[in-house]
Amino acid sequence: MGNRLVRASRSLLEAALAVAATIAVLAALSHVFVPKNNQAEFGQRDERVYGVLGQPEGSVEVLFLGDSEAYTSFSPLQLWDERGITSYVLGTSGQKLCYTRSLLGRALERQRPRVVVLETNCLFRSFSVGEALVRLAQDALPVLEYHDRWKSLRPEDVLGTVRATWTDEARGFVGKEGAVPADASSHMAPSDEVAGLPWLSRVYLDDIARTCERAGARLVLVSTPSTRNWSTARHSRMERVASELGVDYVDLNVGKDRVEIDWSRDTYDGGDHLNVDGARKVTSAVGALLARV
């Protein structure tokens, strides 16, 4: 019995040492593989959103988070012109909340926003526990995300330090031209249904809310106008979630906060996303709300 216990203890120790050694190697490689500047030419992924790292420290008052609904709806330059509010959009296509949480964490390393606006469409996008674990591992050990940079490594990747000297001129906003009319005849039609919310999204939303609270930022959930993505059922779910979290919820599709979108002219893809004209209306409305927060 004693010998078996000793052998088991030795095996556990050897396994722990092996894991520790692997992590140490990955940490060392991460220093080499992580982009040394926040631009695509240095290997940076999602250059547009990581441009926030190039903003002067503590200069951003409002962070916008979310998927393409966010980066086509909120214009920081317009917000500055109309309200004198500095902001940045951390929006990426098909964004899942595990990535939203990562982007927020990176931005908070340099910024202390008073408000964090989360566009709600991404809350309904499912992701697996495996995807969440991969994202956590990539955040801790960047070599896992940037391992494919090995062909383009340069001497400065080995010896240089990580810096951020670039920022996006539009501060993360992507303005879309053109107009494709949308059928809005049944948009926000009355319904008793309440849309389901993926359980893992709720877990991450809770974490995002706690992160904002610790950072001294006010979390505001905002649903931008979209005939394809938004409904009364989703509105009802977000009202409940916001109430449970104790945060503000603003739905620009309906009610007192509704933005008067011309669905024949203000969308570039038939109601999925807004064009620059629609974004201009949304940004003005959100600016008025932020001025009161």
Side-chain angles (χ1 to χ4, degrees):
M1 179 67 177
N3 288 335
R4 286 200 300 271
L5 185 58
V6 169
R7 285 195 298 270
S9 298
R10 184 181 296 119
S11 296
L12 287 174
L13 178 59
E14 290 173 352
L17 290 174
V19 170
T22 299
I23 292 175
V25 170
L26 291 175
L29 290 174
S30 291
H31 172 76
V32 175
F33 279 77
V34 70
K36 297 304 180 291
N37 211 330
N38 63 330
Q39 293 171 275
E41 64 185 271
F42 290 89
Q44 178 67 65
R45 294 199 172 99
D46 292 330
E47 173 190 63
R48 177 171 44 79
V49 295
Y50 279 98
V52 71
L53 301 179
Q55 290 288 293
E57 188 169 355
S59 65
V60 177
E61 298 175 78
V62 178
L63 288 173
F64 293 101
L65 299 166
D67 58 18
S68 53
E69 301 297 322
Y71 69 67
T72 57
S73 297
F74 306 122
S75 173
L77 297 187
Q78 179 187 340
L79 191 57
W80 169 254
D81 288 340
E82 293 181 355
R83 297 287 176 175
I85 297 172
T86 58
S87 60
Y88 204 101
V89 184
L90 304 178
T92 57
S93 297
Q95 190 173 118
K96 299 175 181 178
L97 274 197
C98 53
Y99 191 34
T100 306
R101 176 61 183 82
S102 295
L103 292 174
L104 176 61
R106 289 300 308 277
L108 291 178
E109 292 174 7
R110 290 184 53 81
Q111 302 300 333
R112 290 294 176 265
R114 62 181 180 86
V115 178
V116 171
V117 174
L118 176 58
E119 208 289 325
T120 54
N121 189 58
C122 64
L123 294 174
F124 294 88
R125 184 170 289 110
S126 298
F127 58 99
S128 67
V129 172
E131 289 177 286
L133 291 175
V134 168
R135 185 68 254 171
L136 288 171
Q138 290 174 333
D139 291 343
L141 299 165
V143 66
L144 300 177
E145 181 172 8
Y146 292 101
H147 59 87
D148 57 353
R149 290 192 61 231
W150 65 273
K151 290 184 178 180
S152 60
L153 291 176
R154 297 174 287 189
E156 53 263 38
D157 285 307
V158 178
L159 303 174
T161 57
V162 178
R163 58 201 177 111
T165 63
W166 178 86
T167 192
D168 180 49
E169 290 184 357
R171 305 300 187 264
F173 171 66
V174 179
K176 297 290 187 177
E177 301 288 347
V180 175
D183 179 5
S185 59
S186 60
H187 181 47
M188 303 307 291
S191 173
D192 293 330
E193 294 183 14
V194 178
L197 189 71
W199 72 270
L200 201 50
S201 287
R202 180 54 196 269
V203 170
Y204 268 80
L205 179 59
D206 288 350
D207 185 47
I208 288 170
R210 289 191 297 269
T211 299
C212 290
E213 184 176 8
R214 288 194 298 267
R218 184 170 179 172
L219 177 63
V220 179
L221 305 178
V222 174
S223 301
T224 55
S226 175
T227 60
R228 292 193 185 179
N229 295 307
W230 214 247
S231 65
T232 301
R234 285 193 170 189
H235 171 88
S236 298
R237 172 57 64 188
M238 291 316 306
E239 280 194 320
R240 292 188 184 186
V241 169
S243 177
E244 291 165 1
L245 286 174
V247 300
D248 294 320
Y249 172 51
V250 178
D251 191 344
L252 302 179
N253 292 273
V254 70
K256 63 182 178 59
D257 296 312
R258 179 174 176 267
V259 175
E260 293 295 333
I261 295 296
D262 181 345
W263 290 111
S264 68
R265 303 181 60 176
D266 293 341
T267 171
Y268 74 91
D269 57 2
D272 194 355
H273 303 87
L274 300 173
N275 59 22
V276 289
D277 293 324
R280 189 174 298 113
K281 294 177 180 180
V282 165
T283 300
S284 290
V286 170
L289 292 169
L290 289 173
R292 301 196 296 267
V293 174

